[in-house]
């Protein structure tokens, strides 16, 4: 029997044993185990596009966008819905005062950098929020100075300048 076949059999036995333990534990406690939450479709698209992009010899923003476009069409019936969800994630970064401050210190456009970080995946988004841009990306943030998202995405991005102006225009008691 080959090593790969042995490994495969061992993995099957381990999975079966794990399921048996889970089943017994839930029966004893009377609690039904729910299956793990399925990741959002946006992360499926981003992950596939990123792997495709990483395999390319030429890594330009046009190539990055093409990789995304190919997988968006395969998983979303409405491209605008994808960009809405994509920018919801970018808005998490844009909503962070720490992210905004660090972008200012680095001299990078927050919205553009945020869209590139989302392309790097959910783990990088969370790491940037937790540790900061430089601590997460080192000097690679310099590579993310040009826009690659379509204009469609821009209408779903938070516009902090406009929000601040609107906030200033409110009467003091409404703030």
């Amino acid at each position: 029997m080959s090593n790969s076949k042995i490994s495969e059999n061992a993995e099957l036995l381990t999975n079966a044993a794990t399921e048996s333990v889970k089943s017994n534990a839930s029966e004893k406690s009377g609690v039904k185990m729910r299956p793990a939450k399925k990741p959002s479709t946006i992360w499926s698209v981003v992950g596939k596009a990123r792997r495709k992009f990483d395999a390319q010899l030429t890594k330009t923003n046009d190539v990055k966008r093409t990789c995304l476009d190919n997988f968006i069409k395969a998983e979303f019936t409405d491209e605008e819905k994808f960009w809405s969800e994509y920018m919801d994630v970018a808005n998490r970064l844009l909503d962070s005062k720490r992210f905004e401050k660090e972008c200012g210190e680095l001299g990078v456009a927050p919205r553009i950098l945020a869209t590139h970080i989302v392309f790097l995946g959910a783990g990088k988004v969370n790491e940037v929020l937790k540790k900061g841009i430089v601590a997460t990306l080192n000097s690679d943030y310099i590579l993310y100075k040009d826009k690659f998202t379509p204009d469609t995405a821009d209408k779903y991005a938070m516009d902090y300048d406009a929000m601040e102006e609107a906030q200033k225009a409110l009467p003091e008691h409404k703030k």
Side-chain angles (χ1 to χ4, degrees):
M1 197 182 275
S2 72
N3 281 345
S4 66
K5 191 65 175 172
I6 292 170
S7 294
E8 190 178 310
N9 287 339
E11 185 177 335
L12 288 172
L13 287 172
T14 302
N15 290 342
T18 303
E19 289 304 313
S20 176
V21 168
K22 284 181 184 175
S23 174
N24 289 338
S26 66
E27 285 173 13
K28 287 178 184 173
S29 67
V31 176
K32 290 238 182 214
M33 301 277 294
R34 288 190 301 178
K37 185 178 177 185
K38 186 179 177 189
S40 170
T41 309
I42 180 180
W43 295 119
S44 171
V45 170
V46 169
K48 290 174 185 175
R50 188 180 59 254
R51 285 188 294 278
K52 186 74 164 177
F53 179 74
D54 289 345
Q56 303 303 308
L57 295 176
T58 305
K59 291 178 174 45
T60 66
N61 284 329
D62 289 337
V63 172
K64 184 182 282 189
R65 173 73 184 283
T66 301
C67 291
L68 265 176
D69 286 342
N70 288 334
F71 290 104
I72 291 170
K73 292 172 184 152
E75 305 235 4
F76 278 80
T77 54
D78 182 3
E79 187 175 335
E80 196 154 325
K81 172 77 170 137
F82 170 81
W83 288 112
S84 167
E85 289 184 26
Y86 191 94
M87 293 310 291
D88 282 347
V89 179
N91 287 337
R92 281 184 53 216
L93 288 163
L94 295 170
D95 196 34
S96 165
K97 293 294 182 192
R98 178 182 183 173
F99 181 79
E100 180 182 8
K101 181 180 181 225
E102 197 171 358
C103 284
E105 291 168 356
L106 297 171
V108 295
R111 186 183 302 174
I112 292 172
L113 182 58
T115 59
H116 283 281
I117 293 170
V118 173
F119 187 80
L120 296 174
K124 285 292 185 202
V125 170
N126 292 331
E127 192 175 346
V128 166
L129 287 169
K130 186 176 181 180
K131 297 179 181 177
I133 298 166
V134 175
T136 303
L137 302 176
N138 299 314
S139 62
D140 285 355
Y141 74 88
I142 296 167
L143 302 172
Y144 307 132
K145 64 182 187 284
D146 296 323
K147 181 181 172 195
F148 79 95
T149 56
D151 292 339
T152 304
D154 290 342
K155 66 182 173 183
Y156 298 107
M158 290 183 166
D159 187 352
Y160 285 98
D161 295 334
M163 285 173 40
E164 284 180 17
E165 291 302 316
Q167 188 71 17
K168 288 177 187 173
L170 286 175
E172 195 59 41
H173 69 280
K174 295 219 177 184
K175 289 183 181 177

